[in-house]
Amino acid sequence: MALSFRGGIALEETKKSALLAIEAIPAPAFAAVPFSRKPGERAAPVVQPEDRVLRGQLIAEPETENSVPVHAPFSGIVKEVCTDGNVGAIVIENDFKNALSESVVPFEKPISKAEPEELCEVIRAAGITDLGKSGVPLARRLQKAQGKARRLIINCVESEPALSANFRLVLEKTQEIVNGAKILLRATGIEKAVFVVEKSRQEAAEALMALCGASPNFKITALKSKYPQSADRQLTEALAGKRLSEGQTPLDRGFFIIGVESVFAVYQAFVYGLPVTERVLTVGGDALERSANLRVPIGASFEDVIRHLGGFVQKPQVVLSGGTMTGIAEESLKAVVGKETGAVIALLQGAEDREDSACIHCGRCVKVCPERLFPLYIARFSDQNQWEKTKTWDAGLCSECGCCTYVCPAGIPLLKKIRLAKENLALPKKGV
Ligand code: SF4
Ligand code: SF4
């Protein structure tokens, strides 16, 4: 029987994009490569306008432990270095020569002879984060897990419904991902890796089984297709059969969870010496001419991505960075693909446009909440600006999965109200 967690929502299977092989978009004329300027996550540019840069060259270096190096996605000329706000950007004009930096060199030593610290240093220098999730540097997480983690959990499940980039990556890059997992086992000192796949994506399980099913170091586990199965807390609950209590992390159960795209990035860093300069994402939505799983240079604009797909069938009401459940509405198509952009979705009608009415106390939001909260009460007190009361109803434990909003028959934007409460309580936002 496939494993699962309590709460959440079973969603209609949307296999359409799962059938689409990953395609690369043509290199754009410009990239605006983002780098963090948030306190505690700051990176500092090491290039200036008119500098020539090569593909894979370091263009911003971390200033704090929670930031990562940033690299040029192609060769060209730096046109601008923007340092306004929490996210800066280094704008590079493509020279279409795709000249590689001399810093891009494979790791020469056999992995079995390398020390974990050496491996972590390669991962750090390649700018690999928790791709598609929090953006925390992977090397930092690996160092914290050494000696504590007993299982390497490779999350091949999509973070949101209707996405399929992880599935395609497993299917098309199976050997690379298994090899990346071996490097991570050595870097953490863990003996066994568990690939978790959705039960409905049997082909992914079969591809992995064919390559590593016979090895005692690997296991393939199927999870029931349910949202938010990919979230670390729900994944841990499904695998351990026991929910994490408040403040606990997967490491408290001995799990080190990593997304499959980060595992692929680790492989690329060791075998080709390539830092993170591109990512695979699903692009879709009813406003688009067609959907696709695309490989996109970091810093390419949403406009570049959408143009490649033939543009819009009709003007979208909203373009999301991320999936339909937790994606953030972008104001302009000049928004760019960053290391954490898992999807771009263009919709003719946004969820916030639905007409809402009074709560009918049906209890559906409570039933689906994977964190066992009472979203209706948090939302009610949020409406009344009674922030302390939202706290007593545990607004801070909300993982912002959006399940409550999705099921509410009254169309109440519960998550929006809960986020407002969290902002007023100055609680950290959480991603799934
Ligand atoms: S968004 Fe928050 S309150 Fe709503 S279902 Fe998810 S965890 Fe529960
Ligand atoms: S799902 Fe909507 S209508 Fe039902 S109890 Fe929750 S807030 Fe009220």
Side-chain angles (χ1 to χ4, degrees), residues 359-363 365 376 408-410 412 414:
C359 172
I360 56 168
H361 298 277
C362 65
C365 56
L376 73 164
C408 177
I412 300 170
L414 292 157

Side-chain angles (χ1 to χ4, degrees), residues 253-403:
R253 296 264 185 281
F255 295 160
F256 183 83
I257 301 178
I258 179 169
V260 70
E261 179 146 18
S262 297
V263 180
F264 181 61
V266 167
Y267 170 85
Q268 300 247 84
F270 281 84
V271 177
Y272 302 113
L274 278 174
V276 180
T277 56
E278 57 182 22
R279 67 155 301 147
V280 176
L281 63 157
T282 301
V283 186
D286 56 3
L288 281 174
E289 189 65 43
R290 69 179 178 102
S291 303
N293 292 303
L294 299 179
R295 174 171 297 116
V296 179
I298 302 293
S301 69
F302 283 20
E303 200 170 16
D304 292 323
V305 170
I306 288 161
R307 190 185 308 117
H308 174 71
L309 295 179
F312 298 120
V313 276
Q314 221 179 300
K315 192 172 182 291
Q317 189 105 55
V318 64
V319 177
L320 299 171
S321 174
T324 48
M325 301 296 287
T326 61
I328 292 168
E330 293 289 354
E331 283 173 11
S332 147
L333 293 182
K334 299 214 179 309
V336 298
V337 171
K339 290 181 185 179
E340 272 62 63
T341 313
V344 174
I345 306 289
L347 299 171
L348 294 176
Q349 192 189 8
E352 303 293 339
D353 304 326
R354 286 192 299 168
E355 287 286 318
D356 66 337
S357 52
C359 172
I360 56 168
H361 298 277
C362 65
R364 286 191 207 175
C365 56
V366 179
K367 198 170 164 205
V368 297
C369 178
E371 296 297 340
R372 327 296 208 248
L373 304 179
F374 288 79
L376 73 164
Y377 296 130
I378 306 174
R380 181 196 293 169
F381 290 121
S382 176
D383 277 345
Q384 296 167 357
N385 296 352
Q386 297 201 49
W387 313 121
E388 281 307 313
K389 284 206 171 154
T390 65
K391 196 173 175 183
T392 59
W393 285 96
D394 289 327
L397 296 184
C398 170
S399 64
E400 303 184 18
C401 68
C403 289

Side-chain angles (χ1 to χ4, degrees), residues 115-117 119-120 123 138-139 141-152 181-193 251 256 258:
E115 292 301 320
E117 282 311 316
L119 302 179
C120 284
I123 291 167
L138 178 59
R141 289 190 61 217
L142 288 168
Q143 280 158 340
K144 280 190 178 172
Q146 282 163 359
K148 292 188 196 146
R150 297 186 303 278
R151 285 286 178 276
L152 176 68
K182 287 178 184 167
I183 297 167
L184 287 163
L185 286 176
R186 176 77 189 159
T188 50
I190 301 173
E191 280 182 11
K192 193 158 184 167
L251 214 44
F256 183 83
I258 179 169

